[in-house]
Amino acid sequence: MDDITPTRAGPPPAESRPPLRAVIAIAFFFSGASALFYQVIWLRQLATVFGNTTLAISVTLTAFMSGLALGSYAFGRVGDRAARPFRIYAWLEILIGAYGLVSLSVLHGVHAGYLALASRLPYDSSWLVGYQFWASLLALVAPTALMGGTLPIASKGIVRRLDGIGPEVGRLYGINTLGAAVGVLLVGFVLLPVLGLWHAVVLAACLNLAVGAAVLAADAWRARAEARGSRDPRPAPAADAPSSPDGETEAHAPSDGDTPLRVILVLGLALSGFSGLALEVVWARAFSLYVGSSVYAFSAILLAVLIGIGLGSLLVARLSARREVDVTWFVAVQFGAGVGTFGLLFFYNSLAFVFLSIVMRFWRSFPTLLALEVLVIVGCLLLPALCSGAAFPIASRLFIQRSAVLSRSIGTLYAANTLGCIAGSFAAGFVLIPHIGLRATVMQCAACYMITAAAVLLVERGPNRAGGVVVLAGLAALVAWLPSWRQELMVAGFFRRQYDELATARAVMTARRDVLFYREGSLATVAVIRGRQNRSLVINAKVEASDVSVEMDTQTMLAHLPLLLADRTESVLVVGLGSGTTCGAAALHPTSTIECVEIEPAVAAGARYFSDTNRDVFADPRFRVVFADARNYLAAGRRRYDVIISEPSNPWFGGTASLFTVEHFQALRDSLADDGVICQWVQLYEMSPQDLRSVVATFVKVFPDATLWWVGRSHVDIALIAQKHPWKVDFDRFSERMGARPQIMPDFERAQLKQPVSVLAWLLLGPDDLRRMSTGSRLNTDNLPLLEFSAPRSLYRESSAEQNRTTCATYKAQPLSELVDLGPSAADADARAALAESFIEQHGADLEGAPYLSWMRDEYAAAAALAPGRADLREKLAEVEQRISERKRGR
């Protein structure tokens, strides 16, 4: 039996233990990386089923971590009875890998079951929540329980003495966590956009299978070596000191009278897990206000936490091999985690300028900028994360008193820590952040660390009790001394490079901005800011809507265009509330119901500050807001809509890229009536031409007869408008509806669109144009989420809107006569001429280029042929031909 020897015996035979120790260390590193792969991929896959709401994320994360806690607790008891623990550990890894190979197929089954149930139940049914939890738990409990069992099983095999618990457990825990950090680097920055989910999960499974096979081989080799050694007539190495019957090293073992301390250690690790997960949620929200809410920002937070935990555990492993571990170590790391967290609270306002300086100096190199931001975040979180990582091996050494229950004890501690993580994730999203805010949540978590340290001191005998009182007094002083966080800095959006010089930025940072509304919701921080001449709705420090005239054009035309084009307008769905202006514009049309799907309730509270621009739409009985994830809400196909208006934020914004996938567009199509119209908003700014073409290709994959329209005078926003079948704009009906709805005309007049031909001149590209534009572009899918990772790289791209306008011009070839049905009247010639002329007058300057000039020539030629009496058309045709000739000559 591979049991713990009690004393500092001589080194083990050279032919047996060192190679196996090395194999286990390498195995734990790659096991940590693969576990992170699984966590990211499985939770991402479940998010496409259940949505990205706080409830959905918390429920699936709870199911994942419940398996870890169950496995660590159960396998901890198995490990103490195991004759060959490493053999069990190897089979755990092999079984994890085997499940990994089929895991996505299992999750697809969960998806199918959810859709079948959701189509028969209300979207907010408690039965759906119950299905989400139990289906996630049943799908993930087996592999996560196996993952949870790896640490207690391997610890049983590798720890040889009680005084080796700190070094050995710390080393295993630290190596495993650093492996997870490498997993974050690979998954969060490289693998998913290159391999996709399916290939990434296969890679993770292969890592587990390779790890299991290597450990099996090493364990078999060691068993053979030990069998040879047992036949060796030479005596075993002499022991250095006597042992107790149970195998403890007496100088290091806590006494049986330390039951209160043991209880506090378990509760302390639970509180540490609670605070760690809650702080991970908080810092992801708080730092994203300074660095942006992209997928890279969230990966950077997780990377920083894992690096700190791994290094902290390894540091304890090194120190505890040289010095005796006692309760002061646990007190120190809990106190250090609290002080580090409080310190970050104190300096949070100043970090705005740190990140702003990085953006101002390095925005031209996204890799450099990202690396520096990650380094700053790692530096900020390093101390509390180091202390959190150190807590587990220290607590393990103090808690374990007998070798016979080593594996069980480690399993118990790991389970307590994991249960605390579950509670922390739930509390942060549902209770703490929505009710007391980000700053107060951080304070509460820091206080948990300090209170744990004080509790350990208070149960001690002698002068240490006074130390507990001092810690509590210091905690009270810190709470009273800490400055408040400045809301105007948190919502300023400095990461978007809005300021040309640092001096200007400093002036903005020191000025008090007029914040009319501020709320930290469960998923986003929402504010309404009043500037000198406008109001803005800000979500996670990004302006999502304002009452500036040119932005009002976009917000209103996203509703007016599809509602003027649709055959019927009884039912309207809007994806994304914003300021509610689009919904208010939709309410001006003859509709029966207007539904808006919004994921963050705080947005609705902020939108009420725009009652003048949204026409007080919340008071309209036809209007209702559904607080849900749009993908989750639409996937069940509960009803069909005549008009769907999808207006999510920019694709670089965290989570938004999933609303630009083939799967989501298919859900929109399935929710569209047979003769319905869909309008998809796409921003040309902060997007590369490659990403624009990818979005277009993805949309055209589902809606092959789509058209592309301008939706604003500034020409930085477009709309992809489509029906399920080939279609053309009915010019006569469009004109008639504009004339019959005078209530919408103020919006058109503000946009300088007083005639139907001026409005239809915003029709830029037809289906043939878009198909050419899509050729060679990669599709954005759930399996291969390209846009989520590529879009943030264009956040600091110069002249992206101009480049995308040029890209559109490159593909302009389809004649207007193929896109607009001018009707059988004799006015066809004049209408065709007027439409072409209006289009060219509005966009000629923006769409300069050889392809567009050829299109202009063809349109003027067609118009002149239809209206031979129009000398002005012939003159303009000659002008265009002259420009084409000059371009050919290179002038």
Side-chain angles (χ1 to χ4, degrees):
M1 180 176 178
D2 190 8
D3 200 2
I4 298 178
T5 57
T7 61
R8 296 183 180 275
E15 70 273 17
S16 61
R17 287 194 53 80
L20 185 58
R21 287 168 57 88
V23 169
I24 294 297
I26 296 171
F28 252 62
F29 180 85
F30 286 107
S31 178
S34 67
L36 204 286
F37 280 22
Y38 290 131
Q39 179 178 336
V40 170
I41 293 169
W42 290 344
L43 296 185
R44 175 186 286 267
Q45 190 71 18
L46 287 172
T48 65
V49 182
F50 303 129
N52 280 300
T53 62
T54 302
L55 178 62
I57 294 171
S58 297
V59 167
T60 51
L61 189 61
T62 296
F64 187 94
M65 290 190 168
S66 296
L68 294 177
L70 177 63
S72 63
Y73 186 82
F75 281 103
R77 279 142 181 78
V78 172
D80 287 324
R81 300 190 298 270
R84 294 175 64 179
F86 292 134
R87 186 177 180 84
I88 297 176
Y89 167 71
W91 279 107
L92 292 180
E93 294 286 356
I94 291 171
L95 290 173
I96 293 169
Y99 185 90
L101 292 175
V102 300
S103 60
L104 291 188
S105 297
V106 173
L107 296 182
H108 276 294
V110 172
H111 191 184
Y114 178 83
L115 293 181
L117 186 63
S119 63
R120 295 171 173 82
L121 295 173
Y123 73 93
D124 55 354
S125 170
S126 59
W127 287 98
L128 289 178
V129 178
Y131 175 88
Q132 178 182 344
F133 175 74
W134 288 110
S136 301
L137 182 62
L138 291 175
L140 300 181
V141 67
T144 53
L146 296 172
M147 292 176 188
T150 56
L151 181 62
I153 291 290
S155 297
K156 179 66 176 180
I158 208 164
V159 175
R160 310 300 298 172
R161 301 184 302 270
L162 283 180
D163 61 354
I165 291 175
E168 300 293 1
V169 173
R171 188 175 296 111
L172 284 179
Y173 191 64
I175 289 173
N176 188 256
T177 306
L178 289 180
V182 172
V184 170
L185 275 174
L186 293 176
V187 173
F189 296 89
V190 180
L191 289 183
L192 285 188
V194 174
L195 298 180
L197 268 63
W198 280 96
H199 290 95
V201 83
V202 168
L203 175 60
C206 290
L207 286 176
N208 290 122
L209 295 173
V211 162
V215 174
L216 274 180
D219 183 70
W221 179 81
R222 190 194 67 164
R224 290 194 297 269
E226 289 180 346
R228 290 194 301 270
S230 65
R231 296 191 296 270
D232 192 338
R234 292 175 297 175
D240 291 335
S243 65
S244 69
D246 285 329
E248 291 91 344
T249 301
E250 297 294 348
H252 295 274
S255 69
D256 291 335
D258 287 336
T259 299
L261 174 61
R262 288 163 56 82
V263 172
I264 290 176
L265 289 174
V266 174
L267 294 178
L269 279 186
L271 280 177
S272 181
F274 175 93
S275 299
L277 242 293
L279 285 172
E280 189 176 314
V281 174
V282 172
W283 291 131
R285 290 277 302 276
F287 280 114
S288 69
L289 299 176
Y290 290 159
V291 301
S293 297
S294 71
V295 64
Y296 296 113
F298 295 114
S299 296
I301 302 295
L302 182 56
L303 177 65
V305 171
L306 291 175
I307 288 175
I309 291 174
L311 292 178
S313 189
L314 290 177
L315 181 62
V316 166
R318 185 176 183 85
L319 294 177
S320 61
R322 302 175 179 177
R323 300 180 59 183
E324 179 182 349
V325 176
D326 56 34
V327 292
T328 59
W329 288 44
F330 191 75
V331 171
V333 296
Q334 293 296 313
F335 184 77
V339 170
T341 304
F342 275 121
L344 192 49
L345 270 168
F346 183 82
F347 290 106
Y348 178 73
N349 288 332
S350 301
L351 288 175
F353 182 72
V354 174
F355 287 111
L356 174 62
S357 300
I358 293 174
V359 171
M360 295 300 300
R361 289 179 170 87
F362 301 101
W363 62 269
R364 289 180 176 83
S365 174
F366 182 80
T368 302
L369 183 147
L370 180 63
L372 290 173
E373 289 181 340
V374 169
L375 285 176
V376 172
I377 293 172
V378 169
C380 291
L381 301 181
L382 186 59
L383 177 58
L386 276 171
C387 293
S388 295
F392 186 84
I394 292 173
S396 297
R397 176 63 192 99
L398 296 174
F399 183 82
I400 299 172
Q401 299 181 10
R402 294 186 300 119
S403 63
V405 294
L406 181 139
S407 182
R408 176 185 306 181
S409 299
I410 290 178
T412 299
L413 291 174
Y414 190 81
N417 185 256
T418 304
L419 291 174
C421 291
I422 294 172
S425 67
F426 251 100
F430 282 103
V431 181
L432 298 178
I433 295 176
H435 290 88
I436 65 175
L438 296 170
R439 177 179 176 272
T441 300
V442 176
M443 291 178 65
Q444 178 168 310
C445 293
C448 286
Y449 290 126
M450 304 280 281
I451 290 171
T452 300
V456 173
L457 293 174
L458 289 173
V459 299
E460 286 285 284
R461 304 179 184 89
N464 283 344
R465 290 188 175 182
V469 176
V470 172
V471 170
L472 292 177
L475 171 62
L478 281 173
V479 170
W481 182 52
L482 288 173
S484 60
W485 287 1
R486 292 180 56 183
Q487 295 176 355
E488 66 275 11
L489 299 183
M490 298 169 70
V491 301
F494 295 118
F495 61 87
R496 299 186 75 191
R497 202 174 64 86
Q498 303 175 77
Y499 310 101
D500 295 331
E501 297 180 359
L502 285 176
T504 304
R506 291 191 186 97
V508 174
M509 292 180 67
T510 56
R512 293 286 177 177
R513 304 182 70 186
D514 195 351
V515 180
L516 303 178
F517 169 82
Y518 180 88
R519 182 173 298 176
E520 292 165 350
S522 59
L523 284 171
T525 299
V526 181
V528 177
I529 299 175
R530 179 163 55 199
R532 293 181 179 178
Q533 299 179 344
N534 68 286
R535 287 163 299 163
S536 300
L537 178 75
V538 181
I539 301 177
N540 283 350
K542 177 185 178 298
V543 175
E544 294 290 357
S546 76
D547 56 5
V548 174
S549 177
V550 291
E551 292 197 15
M552 287 290 294
D553 294 346
T554 299
Q555 296 170 75
T556 56
M557 291 305 155
L558 287 171
H560 293 320
L561 287 176
L563 283 162
L564 288 172
L565 292 168
D567 293 340
R568 292 182 297 113
T569 60
E570 290 297 310
S571 56
V572 178
L573 174 71
V574 180
V575 177
L577 176 62
S579 64
T581 301
T582 300
C583 295
L588 298 176
H589 295 263
T591 65
S592 297
T593 61
I594 303 173
E595 285 185 10
C596 179
V597 181
E598 172 56 52
I599 196 170
E600 175 54 70
V603 174
R608 295 182 182 275
Y609 285 79
F610 294 84
S611 58
D612 54 337
T613 63
N614 63 37
R615 275 99 173 182
D616 199 17
V617 70
F618 289 95
D620 194 316
R622 299 170 296 167
F623 176 72
R624 75 177 185 122
V625 180
V626 178
F627 295 113
D629 177 88
R631 291 198 55 164
N632 172 256
Y633 184 72
L634 290 171
R638 296 178 178 88
R639 62 174 300 185
R640 300 290 182 266
Y641 300 92
D642 297 319
V643 175
I644 296 179
I645 304 164
S646 179
E647 48 175 357
S649 183
N650 299 64
W652 63 260
F653 199 80
T656 304
S658 65
L659 299 180
F660 291 89
T661 61
V662 169
E663 291 81 1
H664 178 62
F665 289 150
Q666 186 61 59
L668 291 174
R669 182 185 177 90
D670 293 341
S671 300
L672 194 64
D674 289 339
D675 56 352
V677 172
I678 182 171
C679 176
Q680 173 70 50
W681 178 34
V682 181
Q683 305 87 352
L684 297 185
Y685 54 92
E686 297 173 348
M687 178 183 285
S688 69
Q690 293 79 13
D691 285 344
L692 173 62
R693 294 178 62 222
S694 177
V695 170
V696 170
T698 304
F699 191 82
V700 169
K701 174 70 175 178
V702 180
F703 297 97
D705 297 294
T707 55
L708 186 151
W709 300 61
W710 296 123
V711 285
R713 284 172 288 162
S714 58
H715 296 172
V716 296
D717 299 280
I718 59 172
L720 297 171
I721 300 179
Q723 294 187 6
K724 288 184 174 181
H725 49 76
W727 63 294
K728 294 175 70 172
V729 176
D730 188 325
F731 180 80
D732 290 339
R733 186 178 68 179
F734 191 92
S735 301
E736 179 184 351
R737 285 183 172 180
M738 279 192 66
R741 300 174 187 177
Q743 66 273 19
I744 69 175
M745 291 312 296
D747 290 342
F748 285 96
E749 291 171 357
R750 182 185 58 244
Q752 300 176 8
L753 302 172
K754 298 182 180 180
Q755 300 296 327
V757 292
S758 300
V759 181
L760 292 179
W762 278 7
L763 173 52
L764 178 61
L765 301 179
D768 292 346
D769 298 329
L770 292 180
R771 280 190 281 272
R772 285 193 299 273
M773 188 175 181
S774 304
T775 302
S777 295
R778 301 177 70 185
L779 300 179
N780 186 48
T781 66
D782 287 344
N783 178 56
L784 197 61
L786 301 170
L787 197 61
E788 184 175 0
F789 293 89
S790 62
R793 297 176 178 273
S794 299
L795 182 57
Y796 306 105
R797 190 184 186 95
E798 287 188 293
S799 306
S800 56
E802 292 82 353
Q803 292 172 0
N804 285 322
R805 284 198 292 267
T806 301
T807 299
C808 292
T810 302
Y811 297 98
K812 180 60 183 171
Q814 199 165 359
L816 291 173
S817 58
E818 295 182 6
L819 308 179
V820 181
D821 183 358
L822 297 173
S825 66
D828 277 1
D830 291 339
R832 171 70 179 270
L835 185 58
E837 188 173 4
S838 178
F839 185 95
I840 293 167
E841 286 179 354
Q842 288 196 50
H843 311 303
D846 291 326
L847 300 180
E848 185 68 39
Y852 178 67
L853 287 174
S854 298
W855 180 87
M856 289 174 62
R857 177 190 60 197
D858 295 342
E859 285 298 320
Y860 273 129
L866 289 171
R870 295 277 300 273
D872 58 325
L873 293 178
R874 294 195 300 273
E875 293 175 359
K876 290 181 179 178
L877 175 60
E879 292 177 3
V880 173
E881 290 177 337
Q882 178 65 27
R883 290 166 62 186
I884 293 175
S885 299
E886 292 175 354
R887 178 175 289 273
K888 288 181 178 179
R889 292 196 301 267
R891 293 169 57 183

